[in-house]
Amino acid sequence: MKLRSILAGFAGGVALLATPVMAETITIHAGSVVADADSAPSGPATIVVTDGKIVEILDGWALVDGSSQTVDLTEQTVAPGLIDLHTHLSGDPSGEYWRSTVTPPEYYTLIAAKNARLTALAGFTTVRDVGSRSDQVTQSLRQATREGLVPGPRVVTSAQTIAIVGGHGDKTSRFLKHVGDALGTDFTCTGAVECAEKVRLASKYGADLIKITATGGVLSQQGRGLEAHFSAVEMKAIVDTATSLGLKVAAHAHGARGIEAAARAGVQTIEHGTYIDEQAAKVMRENGTVLVPTLMAFQGIKTNLGTGFYTPVVEDKVRAVGPYAESIVERARKWGVKIAFGTDAGVFPHGQNADEFALMRKGGMSDQEAFASATTIAAQVLGLEGEIGRIAPGYSADLIAVGGNPQDDVTVLEDVSWVMARGRVIN
């Protein structure tokens, strides 16, 4: 009898767990809705959200049966949540390249959680994080924001970056050998076979995409120029292996020939693109490669020049790229390269991501084009165009409220008053 009672109690518990939770419905009354970059603003409208999905958009301010909450945004314009394709959530601006030798991953995880909330409050409900400070930090953050344990955006992550030995992205550069050995070099490689192995290793540990440093970089401690790092054979092996695993490749690239080589190898996006020229742009167009210009990164690093924030080798590189950084978008547009939104947040303080829009407009993009770059176009880059980037039934409830129409003035996105990410209001 005792055993029968225990089993009956267990069965009752299982039945309770299996009982469907009542769906939560939230009603949003909007002064206007901009469904996507190509749609005219509506008049007053009601957006119905159930269990994190948009289920209906109604004209006027309707009463919805079964709604558990009504959000009053009748004086605001509701737009799709924004997408930043180039962030580093686990880091804040720092010239202290040695910090990785003394900082445990647990601290980077806390930094990432802080920055996730700041990023979401700025209106960015999805980010692509392309370079984590430590193993498993952004993979853990991805799960925590998905489950609602940490307020923040949807996280698509490359985790750590694949680099050449001693190149930009090799976190052991400039340290004594025994220190470098202790830090480990899991994601550096030489030769096609080893580089393919690193892609498989990144996939094994949960990367959503592959990030490589196809050229030298500005903030690393080696000063050997900003041209191609990987050989053509190595980059092709990386892209082919990633493709076989269903992963895209993002390539940090400054120098024109490095941009060209990465695009020819088949990478999906070029990050930065500082010295893009007509020949590199032609190869990008032919291969459908998208530019993510990260203009805010250059603004961020300029503010620290001459302050002792950076080492002399980094200062020299910052000064060298400055004049070219101002015209990246202008040159890319002239040569017909597709542009998507990304900022390099972490090089400058998180939460200022939307300042990128004004810089894109300064480079010749219209307000509507800049808005599209962070919504529909960025969603296409992620392969999530059926889920995010617009307001429509069946899409994730990733919504923001602003004081005007971003199609007419994209800088209204610098002042976001309300955010919902995957149906959860971010506070």
Side-chain angles (χ1 to χ4, degrees):
M1 289 295 294
K2 188 174 181 181
L3 177 60
R4 185 179 299 170
S5 298
I6 292 171
L7 291 174
F10 175 75
V14 170
L16 183 63
L17 288 173
T19 302
V21 178
M22 290 294 290
E24 181 186 21
T25 295
I26 299 173
T27 301
I28 301 162
H29 288 162
S32 177
V33 172
V34 176
D36 56 56
D38 295 322
S39 300
S42 72
T46 299
I47 303 171
V48 183
V49 174
T50 299
D51 286 350
K53 296 285 187 181
I54 299 165
V55 296
E56 198 171 13
I57 304 168
L58 306 169
D59 292 333
W61 298 326
L63 296 176
V64 177
D65 290 340
S67 177
S68 60
Q69 180 185 355
T70 299
V71 179
D72 183 0
L73 299 174
T74 54
E75 301 296 322
Q76 299 280 292
T77 297
V78 176
L82 304 172
I83 303 165
D84 190 334
L85 293 175
H86 193 120
T87 66
H88 301 281
L89 291 173
S90 59
D92 286 325
S94 174
E96 299 168 340
Y97 68 89
W98 45 264
R99 187 172 288 277
S100 60
T101 64
V102 297
T103 305
E106 291 83 359
Y107 181 77
Y108 286 131
T109 302
L110 295 172
I111 292 293
K114 168 188 75 79
N115 290 331
R117 178 176 175 272
L118 290 174
T119 301
L121 287 173
F124 290 84
T125 55
T126 298
V127 300
R128 192 176 63 160
D129 192 279
V130 285
S132 177
R133 292 291 180 93
S134 191
D135 290 338
Q136 297 298 313
V137 169
T138 48
Q139 295 97 311
S140 299
L141 181 68
R142 176 182 60 195
Q143 181 177 349
T145 56
R146 182 175 62 238
E147 295 177 359
L149 301 177
V150 170
R154 174 185 291 96
V155 176
V156 178
T157 181
S158 68
Q160 299 213 51
T161 299
I162 298 176
I164 66 166
V165 175
H168 186 72
D170 182 351
K171 64 184 178 182
T172 68
S173 292
R174 290 293 294 268
F175 294 125
L176 295 174
K177 185 177 183 301
H178 71 277
V179 177
D181 289 345
L183 287 172
T185 56
D186 282 350
F187 290 94
T188 60
C189 60
T190 301
V193 172
E194 192 170 68
C195 288
E197 179 189 12
K198 300 309 179 185
V199 172
R200 293 183 177 121
L201 191 65
S203 176
K204 173 182 176 180
Y205 290 124
D208 298 308
L209 73 149
I210 301 301
K211 162 76 178 301
I212 65 170
T213 49
T215 75
V218 177
L219 296 183
S220 54
Q221 298 305 310
Q222 51 88 9
R224 292 184 291 279
L226 299 176
E227 274 300 349
H229 273 188
F230 288 98
S231 69
V233 172
E234 288 169 335
M235 278 203 285
K236 190 69 165 59
I238 288 169
V239 174
D240 287 351
T241 305
T243 301
S244 74
L245 295 168
L247 303 175
K248 302 292 187 180
V249 180
H252 155 111
H254 288 286
R257 302 290 67 79
I259 295 169
E260 180 184 351
R264 183 169 285 112
V267 304
Q268 183 194 29
T269 59
I270 294 292
E271 314 294 310
H272 315 305
T274 311
Y275 294 100
I276 186 172
D277 63 11
E278 189 170 6
Q279 182 177 328
K282 179 177 182 290
V283 177
M284 289 181 69
R285 286 197 316 273
E286 291 172 348
N287 288 275
T289 312
V290 178
L291 175 65
V292 181
T294 67
L295 304 176
M296 274 297 290
F298 300 105
Q299 294 297 312
I301 59 180
K302 279 197 313 185
T303 62
N304 295 311
L305 280 173
T307 65
F309 194 80
Y310 300 125
T311 61
V313 68
V314 171
E315 285 247 344
D316 288 345
K317 289 189 287 183
V318 173
R319 295 183 193 280
V321 301
Y324 295 90
E326 301 291 336
S327 63
I328 295 170
V329 167
E330 181 181 353
R331 280 176 280 139
R333 281 171 54 79
K334 179 172 69 174
W335 295 315
V337 173
K338 190 172 185 178
I339 297 171
F341 188 97
T343 65
D344 214 353
V347 171
F348 64 94
H350 294 272
Q352 297 177 11
N353 312 54
D355 290 356
E356 181 90 8
F357 289 113
L359 298 173
M360 298 177 89
R361 189 168 66 179
K362 187 177 178 181
M365 295 181 74
S366 70
D367 295 271
Q368 188 174 13
E369 287 172 334
F371 179 44
S373 76
T375 50
T376 50
I377 292 174
Q380 290 167 7
V381 170
L382 293 173
L384 296 174
E385 62 270 32
E387 184 175 351
I388 60 175
R390 56 171 34 98
I391 299 174
Y395 276 64
S396 179
D398 294 355
L399 307 167
I400 62 173
V402 291
N405 180 3
Q407 297 165 319
D408 295 333
D409 180 6
V410 75
T411 63
V412 300
L413 298 172
E414 295 174 8
D415 186 15
V416 172
S417 61
W418 178 88
V419 179
M420 173 178 277
R422 290 192 273 205
R424 305 183 188 102
V425 177
I426 305 293
N427 296 309

